[in-house]
């Protein structure tokens, strides 16, 4: 964790210096606060934030524990701790919650207030754990600014102080404590409000007849099962018992009992509990900006002792209400996507589990939908438009698929659970045919989707989610607009790819990669003029893995950058040896992947290695394929221009097999074209099959480029290309790719088809 996860100093330019790991002297008037976290920075920054602050008129004394085990040892002897600031994840992912269980159950410390903190929002505790262990608050560390930490601690200390006072009161208050603790296991404010009526009636020894009203920001609260019958008022009845039980969901003004309406309104206005002849109206403030007023009829006058009990009851109920709101907030965050109000990943998994556990299942599927070019839309139009687009996509999916559960489970990844016949290629195409209107823009969207059937055969929801992900990856690799259904063979392919990727990583670490070199022959002189550096993977058993099997995998995983750097070093070292062996005019060609070229440090690394090798750049050539145009012609033109500025020449490899375009060929600063072997092999035929080669050779030469023919394997092919005035030859006919030592030996004693200039004396 970094210090950036706390932002206390942003709120206080005059904050004192960090306290380190020492503690201040204990005084009898200090609040004792135990900080439990395995990160020393958290202790220091917490001390910095709380230094010189007073809470309810008293200073704070920090105790420090750096593990759950150390906290247990401290709490075994320290019984007057008021608050514990507790990290959720320490030695293990549940170390914090296990410590809470130990505190509440084993040590019996019911009054100490606990505030959970975590730097990992995904490790939020379950709601049942929050209610079971009476946890006051849960915050991510990025939320806890100095002011918010002060507020949370002050609120918790008030709770601790009240509970301490309750312990000191007579035995009759145990009933209130028991009833308030019961509320912590309730779900929602409506249940809480019903509990208030029941417990308050019991306390006052009257029948449970009463009602609770709520007010919140001038709007109706979503706290009842059915929509409210009217939306004209601001105060809403959210719970009722006895003769008022049919009034839930009404506005207060609809209650035809003027004395009750007057009493409730007076309570709301005065914001305090009031005792009137024949009734008690409790005022309860809820942290989220809502207030509750509970009306209970009392035939007998309320004694002074009962008034005191009511005061304590109100305070305790307010704390309980805050906990209920906390549970509801965490529940919403866990199950509802905050941006779109769609189901979250957790909610989707729960829905899938319900389908998988259905004893009479219908054919249901999960489909994952990925938006094409969403990041580009964000970059061009801005994140506000991107958010609007996500909302629009979610709304359309929900509208067109009303019987399905629609969720957003990642940035631009949507999930739908529903009947299989509704989640098909046809339905997805229909849903996304019309563009989305965002502001003044009409944005066409294409998608890729992967689906899997939810079959209750022992697999879990998470298993099905993984299957849909596998299908989605296959759909994206096939091009957007595709919906791919999961097939077990897809999983086998994915597992095999993962295994080969691990083997490749191991091969790099074990130095199993080799650089081989294939000669290039000048057609005019018949002498070697260069060599191409090629990568080979030799396994422990001596077998060479074909490049076509691991180069795409290296590009897919990004390992090609690491491999490419190694090949560049080897090739520069090799050309130095070739020059020293008496062949000073030889050049080396090095293949560069598109993945390497888009790396931010590509040019810097290229220049650095050139400088370190002391090889003149005119003896180095970079080979790219036509797929490099995918990065954009303008960007590619700029990048190649900067490479050429270093003195390095550039060749286009496998020319004619990609999306060849004369326009890009004319724009790009290219020195050579390499004719792909697929246009060379047919030259052995007597039929007129040499037209492509006959077109490419003069085309390249007219544009000022030399032309290289790859894959020459026969004398007939070589002769035809020579007759076409091709510049350079490469292929098995002249020489196979060879390790460095064999290539040097080949240069000194080439085959009969290759001439060789007299060797120059080696550089001393």
């Amino acid at each position: 964790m970094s210090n950036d996860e706390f932002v206390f100093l942003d709120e206080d330019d005059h904050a004192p210096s960090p306290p380190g790991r020492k503690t201040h002297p204990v005084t009898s008037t200090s609040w004792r606060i135990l900080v439990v976290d395995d990160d020393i920075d958290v202790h220091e920054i917490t001390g910095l934030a709380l230094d010189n602050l007073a809470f309810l008129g008293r200073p704070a004394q920090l105790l420090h524990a750096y593990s759950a085990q150390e906290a247990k040892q401290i709490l075994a002897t320290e019984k007057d701790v008021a608050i514990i600031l507790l990290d959720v994840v320490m030695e293990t992912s549940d170390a914090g919650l296990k410590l809470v269980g130990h505190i509440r159950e084993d040590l019996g410390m019911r009054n100490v207030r606990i505030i959970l903190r975590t730097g990992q929002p995904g490790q939020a505790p379950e709601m049942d754990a929050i209610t079971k262990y009476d946890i006051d608050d849960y915050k991510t560390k990025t939320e806890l600014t100095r002011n918010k930490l002060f507020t949370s601690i002050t609120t918790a200390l008030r709770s601790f102080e009240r509970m301490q006072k309750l312990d000191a009161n007579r035995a009759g208050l145990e009933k209130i404590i028991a009833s308030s603790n019961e509320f912590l296991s309730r779900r929602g404010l409506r249940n809480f409000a019903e509990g208030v009526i029941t417990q308050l009636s019991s306390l006052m020894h009257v029948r449970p007849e009463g009602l609770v009203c709520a007010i919140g920001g001038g709007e109706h609260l979503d706290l009842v099962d059915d929509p409210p019958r009217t939306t004209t008022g601001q105060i809403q009845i959210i719970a009722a018992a006895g003769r008022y039980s049919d009034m839930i969901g009404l506005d207060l003004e609809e209650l035809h009992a003027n004395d009750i309406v007057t009493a409730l309104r007076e309570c709301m206005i005065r914001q305090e509990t009031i005792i009137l002849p024949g009734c008690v109206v409790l005022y309860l403030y809820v942290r989220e900006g809502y207030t509750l007023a509970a009306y209970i009829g009392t035939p007998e006058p309320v004694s002074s002792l009962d008034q005191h009990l009511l005061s304590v009851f109100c305070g305790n109920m307010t704390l309980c209400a805050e906990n209920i709101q906390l549970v509801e907030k965490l529940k919403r965050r866990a199950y509802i996507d905050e941006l779109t109000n769609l189901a979250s990943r957790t909610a989707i998994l729960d829905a899938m589990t319900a389908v998988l556990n259905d004893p009479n299942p219908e054919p249901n599927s999960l489909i994952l939908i990925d938006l094409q070019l969403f990041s580009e839309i964000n970059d061009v139009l801005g994140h506000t438009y991107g958010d609007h687009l996500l909302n629009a996509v979610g709304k359309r999916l929900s509208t067109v698929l009303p019987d399905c559960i629609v969720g957003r489970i990642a940035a631009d990844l949507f999930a739908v659970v529903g009947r299989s016949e509704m989640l098909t290629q046809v339905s997805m195409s229909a849903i996304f045919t019309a563009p989305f209107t965002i502001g003044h823009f009409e944005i066409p969207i294409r998608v890729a989707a992967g689906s899997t059937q939810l079959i209750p055969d022992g697999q879990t929801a998470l298993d099905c989610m993984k299957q849909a992900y596998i299908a989605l990856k296959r759909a994206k690799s096939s091009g957007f607009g595709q919906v791919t259904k999961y097939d077990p063979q897809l999983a086998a392919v994915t597992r095999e790819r993962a295994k080969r990727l691990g083997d490749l990583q191991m091969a790099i670490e074990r130095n199993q990669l080799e650089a081989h070199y294939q000669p290039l022959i000048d057609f005019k002189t018949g002498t070697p003029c260069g060599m191409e550096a090629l990568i080979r993977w030799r396994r422990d058993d001596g077998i060479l893995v074909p490049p076509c099997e691991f180069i795409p995998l290296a590009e897919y995983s990004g390992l090609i950058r690491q491999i490419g750097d190694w090949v560049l070093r080897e090739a520069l070292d090799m050309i130095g040896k070739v020059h020293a062996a008496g062949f000073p005019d030889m050049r080396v060609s090095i293949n560069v992947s598109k993945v390497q070229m888009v790396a931010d440090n590509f040019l810097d690394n290229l220049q650095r290695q050139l400088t370190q090798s002391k090889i003149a750049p005119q003896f180095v050539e970079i080979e790219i394929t036509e797929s490099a145009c995918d990065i954009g012609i303008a960007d590619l033109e700029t990048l190649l221009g900067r490479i050429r500025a270093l003195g390095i020449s550039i060749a286009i490899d496998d020319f004619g097999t990609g999306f060849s375009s004369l326009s890009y060929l004319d724009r790009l600063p290219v020195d050579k074209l390499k004719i792909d072997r697929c246009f060379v092999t047919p030259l052995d035929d007597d039929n007129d099959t040499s037209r492509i080669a006959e077109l490419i050779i003069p085309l390249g030469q007219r544009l000022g480029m030399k032309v290289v023919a790859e894959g020459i394997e026969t004398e007939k092919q070589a002769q035809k290309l020579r007759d076409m005035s091709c510049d350079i030859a490469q292929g098995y006919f002249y020489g196979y790719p060879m390790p460095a030592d064999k290539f040097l030996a080949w240069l000194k004693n080439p085959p009969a088809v290759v001439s060789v200039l007299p060797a120059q004396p080696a550089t001393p």
Side-chain angles (χ1 to χ4, degrees):
M1 189 200 77
S2 68
N3 290 346
D4 293 338
E5 291 185 355
F6 284 107
V7 288
F8 297 128
L9 298 184
D10 292 345
E11 301 183 69
D12 189 351
D13 295 333
H14 307 290
S17 58
R21 294 183 64 161
K22 63 183 180 180
T23 59
H24 298 292
V26 179
T27 68
S28 60
T29 60
S30 298
W31 296 110
R32 310 261 287 168
I33 299 177
L34 175 60
V35 181
V36 185
D37 202 298
D38 59 357
D39 192 336
I40 188 173
D41 290 343
V42 174
H43 292 265
E44 293 179 352
I45 297 174
T46 302
L48 172 64
L50 303 184
D51 196 24
N52 293 332
L53 293 180
F55 299 87
L56 306 179
R58 294 163 60 181
Q61 166 63 36
L62 296 188
L63 304 176
H64 296 275
Y66 298 87
S67 67
Q69 186 60 37
E70 189 176 350
K72 289 181 180 180
Q73 295 171 357
I74 292 175
L75 292 171
T77 57
E78 299 286 347
K79 298 300 184 182
D80 58 346
V81 175
I83 293 179
I84 300 176
L85 300 176
L86 177 59
D87 188 16
V88 176
V89 180
M90 291 182 290
E91 304 99 306
T92 61
S93 61
D94 60 350
L97 288 180
K98 284 184 177 179
L99 177 59
V100 175
H102 175 73
I103 292 168
R104 296 300 193 211
E105 297 171 355
D106 299 335
L107 298 180
M109 298 178 69
R110 296 293 177 181
N111 291 350
V112 63
R113 300 294 87 201
I114 298 175
I115 299 175
L116 295 184
R117 305 191 293 183
T118 184
Q120 305 177 39
Q123 294 290 343
E126 296 291 336
M127 290 183 293
D128 289 343
I130 291 176
T131 56
K132 177 181 178 181
Y133 294 127
D134 188 17
I135 293 169
D136 275 62
D137 209 345
Y138 167 78
K139 297 286 187 183
T140 60
K141 292 175 182 177
T142 52
E143 290 182 282
L144 281 176
T145 62
R146 192 180 195 221
N147 286 342
K148 289 182 179 177
L149 182 61
F150 176 84
T151 301
S152 294
I153 289 177
T154 301
T155 302
L157 286 174
R158 286 198 180 102
S159 173
F160 175 76
E161 194 173 42
R162 289 191 185 104
M163 296 190 76
Q164 290 290 81
K165 290 178 180 178
L166 283 176
D167 281 347
N169 279 324
R170 67 183 181 86
L173 291 179
E174 292 180 0
K175 181 177 181 180
I176 298 176
I177 298 172
S179 66
S180 64
N181 285 338
E182 180 186 345
F183 290 143
L184 295 178
S185 63
R186 299 298 183 97
R187 292 294 185 269
L189 281 178
R190 178 178 171 184
N191 285 342
F192 170 74
E194 292 173 348
V196 169
I197 296 173
T198 302
Q199 296 300 330
L200 185 57
S201 299
S202 175
L203 180 67
M204 302 302 298
H205 306 291
V206 297
R207 292 172 59 83
E209 296 214 6
L211 49 83
V212 176
C213 292
I215 184 171
E219 297 180 359
H220 273 75
L221 308 181
D222 186 17
L223 300 174
V224 294
D225 296 331
D226 299 316
R229 303 173 198 174
T230 178
T231 58
T232 59
Q234 294 183 346
I235 300 179
Q236 180 187 1
I237 300 172
I238 64 171
R243 63 180 180 274
Y244 306 111
S245 58
D246 61 345
M247 298 180 179
I248 297 173
L250 295 179
D251 285 341
L252 182 59
E253 296 300 329
E254 295 181 89
L255 182 64
H256 300 297
N258 292 334
D259 55 338
I260 297 176
V261 173
T262 300
L264 285 166
R265 283 203 171 276
E266 183 178 352
C267 176
M268 291 285 194
I269 294 171
R270 290 168 54 177
Q271 297 185 4
E272 63 182 13
T273 296
I274 60 175
I275 299 175
L276 300 172
C279 71
V280 170
V281 187
L282 268 69
Y283 176 80
L284 304 174
Y285 173 75
V286 181
R287 180 189 303 172
E288 297 296 327
Y290 302 131
T291 56
L292 304 179
Y295 174 92
I296 299 291
T298 54
E300 302 294 331
V302 180
S303 67
S304 58
L305 175 60
D306 284 341
Q307 291 182 30
H308 173 69
L309 294 180
L310 288 173
S311 176
V312 176
F313 185 88
C314 286
N316 211 22
M317 291 305 98
T318 298
L319 294 176
C320 294
E322 291 176 354
N323 276 329
I324 294 297
Q325 286 284 18
L326 173 63
V327 171
E328 291 295 321
K329 184 176 181 180
L330 287 174
K331 180 179 178 181
R332 180 171 179 81
R333 286 188 176 181
Y335 288 92
I336 302 296
D337 175 59
E338 292 189 27
L339 175 64
T340 62
N341 282 325
L342 298 175
S344 68
R345 184 175 185 273
T346 301
I348 290 292
L349 287 171
D350 283 357
M352 293 165 61
T353 299
V355 171
L356 293 171
N357 292 337
D358 189 345
N360 301 304
E362 296 179 341
N364 281 279
S365 292
L366 164 71
I367 189 167
L368 300 181
I369 304 166
D370 186 87
L371 307 187
Q372 181 186 28
L373 302 177
F374 177 74
S375 60
E376 286 80 357
I377 293 172
N378 258 344
D379 293 340
V380 173
L381 300 180
H383 288 278
T384 299
Y385 279 94
D387 290 348
H388 288 325
L389 176 60
L390 293 174
N391 275 296
V393 170
K395 183 176 181 180
R396 183 178 293 182
L397 286 170
S398 300
T399 301
V400 178
L401 304 171
D403 297 326
C404 299
I405 299 173
V406 180
R408 185 175 79 112
I409 61 176
D412 61 337
L413 184 62
F414 291 83
V416 184
V417 176
R419 294 292 298 273
S420 298
E421 67 267 20
M422 301 180 67
L423 307 178
T424 64
Q425 173 86 50
V426 174
S427 63
M428 290 301 106
S429 298
I431 290 172
F432 291 96
T433 296
F436 292 83
T437 302
I438 309 296
H440 301 294
F441 300 98
E442 282 198 352
I443 304 175
I445 291 293
R446 298 183 69 199
V447 301
S451 68
T452 186
Q453 275 200 296
L454 302 179
I455 302 174
D457 57 358
Q459 61 186 352
T460 67
L462 195 56
D463 293 333
C464 295
M465 182 75 77
K466 291 177 181 177
Q467 293 171 3
Y469 269 114
I470 291 172
L472 175 62
K473 287 183 179 180
R474 175 58 62 90
K476 292 171 71 172
S477 66
S478 302
F480 276 86
Q482 301 297 314
V483 176
T484 299
K485 292 183 178 180
Y486 172 77
D487 186 312
Q489 291 184 351
L490 293 179
V493 170
T494 300
R495 286 194 297 270
E496 178 61 24
R497 175 186 288 176
K499 180 182 181 302
R500 286 191 288 120
L501 183 58
D503 292 343
L504 179 58
Q505 180 70 62
M506 192 72 71
I508 296 172
E509 296 172 359
R510 294 179 176 177
N511 297 317
Q512 292 180 345
L513 300 182
E514 300 177 2
H516 287 202
Y517 303 92
Q518 186 174 28
L520 282 78
I521 310 300
D522 188 319
F523 261 128
K524 292 181 180 178
T525 65
T527 60
C529 60
M531 59 186 184
E532 181 179 359
L534 301 165
I535 186 73
R536 295 292 184 265
W537 172 7
R538 190 181 300 277
R539 299 190 321 205
D540 288 336
D541 57 10
I543 296 176
L544 287 175
V545 180
C548 61
E549 291 188 11
F550 70 88
I551 292 298
L553 185 63
E555 291 180 326
Y556 171 82
S557 64
L559 287 175
I560 193 66
R561 293 173 180 171
Q562 182 180 351
I563 294 173
D565 289 346
W566 178 83
V567 172
L568 179 59
R569 285 194 300 272
E570 291 290 309
L572 293 175
D573 180 68
M574 180 60 180
I575 195 62
K577 292 178 180 178
V578 170
H579 289 173
F583 303 92
D585 296 327
M586 289 280 286
R587 304 161 60 89
V588 63
S589 298
I590 304 165
N591 292 281
V592 174
S593 164
K594 175 181 64 176
V595 179
Q596 291 173 260
M597 296 175 67
V598 298
D600 293 337
N601 63 344
F602 172 69
L603 280 172
D604 292 339
N605 183 57
L606 181 60
Q607 187 169 20
R608 183 178 66 256
Q609 293 209 43
L610 269 176
T611 302
Q612 292 173 350
S613 69
K614 296 183 172 54
I615 299 297
Q618 64 264 30
F619 297 109
V620 180
E621 183 172 82
I622 294 297
E623 292 190 12
I624 65 171
T625 62
E626 294 176 78
S627 64
C629 294
D630 292 347
I631 70 177
I633 295 298
D635 291 340
L636 182 60
E637 182 181 11
T638 300
L639 178 59
L640 296 184
R642 295 176 67 184
I643 294 174
R644 281 277 296 274
L646 297 176
I648 298 173
S649 59
I650 298 167
I652 294 182
D653 197 12
D654 302 333
F655 181 76
T657 60
F659 299 97
S660 302
S661 167
L662 294 181
S663 61
Y664 90 71
L665 197 60
D666 192 36
R667 285 182 58 179
L668 299 180
V670 176
D671 301 281
K672 286 182 183 175
L673 288 183
K674 300 190 72 174
I675 304 175
D676 188 78
R677 68 178 63 246
C678 68
F679 303 123
V680 172
T681 301
L683 297 179
D684 272 334
D685 297 337
D686 293 329
N687 298 327
D688 187 14
T689 56
S690 60
R691 289 176 297 173
I692 300 298
E694 286 179 326
L695 289 172
I696 294 176
I697 292 171
L699 171 65
Q701 293 171 342
R702 184 66 181 269
L703 292 173
M705 306 174 193
K706 288 190 175 183
V707 180
V708 182
E710 295 183 287
I712 300 175
E713 297 183 0
T714 67
E715 170 61 34
K716 189 173 185 178
Q717 295 169 359
Q719 185 58 50
K720 283 190 175 182
L721 289 164
R722 192 180 296 112
D723 294 342
M724 295 177 193
S725 299
C726 188
D727 298 296
I728 298 172
Q730 181 180 358
Y732 293 167
F733 180 66
Y734 299 97
Y736 284 79
M738 295 166 270
D741 55 345
K742 291 186 178 181
F743 183 81
L744 287 170
W746 181 94
L747 275 179
K748 295 174 182 178
N749 187 25
V753 295
V754 178
S755 303
V756 64
L757 296 175
Q760 303 297 318
T763 303

